[in-house]
Amino acid sequence: MGLAEYKVVPKGNGWSVLHDGAASDDYVSKEAAFQSAVAAASLALREGHEVHVSVPGQEAGNRTALGVKE
């Protein structure tokens, strides 16, 4: 089986999940994007893929640890 990689990335004022070169769906918080990525990664794991999930740490500026505007 192949590699399934999910990367939580900032998108505008929110977040998205980059997978297979595409960042579809918009999420208000980094946590919501993470939960979506983990759900997709769980399905890939069941199919036998190697799975990578990455999420950036807290950014400098006006976002909280969960990635929402203060």
Side-chain angles (χ1 to χ4, degrees):
M1 289 282 144
L3 171 65
E5 188 170 29
Y6 303 89
K7 185 174 186 179
V8 174
V9 295
K11 184 177 179 186
N13 288 328
W15 296 88
S16 191
V17 178
L18 185 63
H19 175 67
D20 289 340
S24 59
D25 298 327
D26 295 325
Y27 301 94
V28 173
S29 71
K30 183 170 37 173
E31 182 179 29
F34 170 73
Q35 290 172 348
S36 175
V38 168
S42 179
L43 292 174
L45 184 68
R46 287 184 211 143
E47 293 174 354
H49 297 284
E50 177 180 350
V51 175
H52 294 184
V53 177
S54 65
V55 182
Q58 184 174 359
E59 298 177 17
N62 59 353
R63 289 189 184 213
T64 66
L66 295 179
V68 295
K69 296 281 186 182
E70 292 184 306

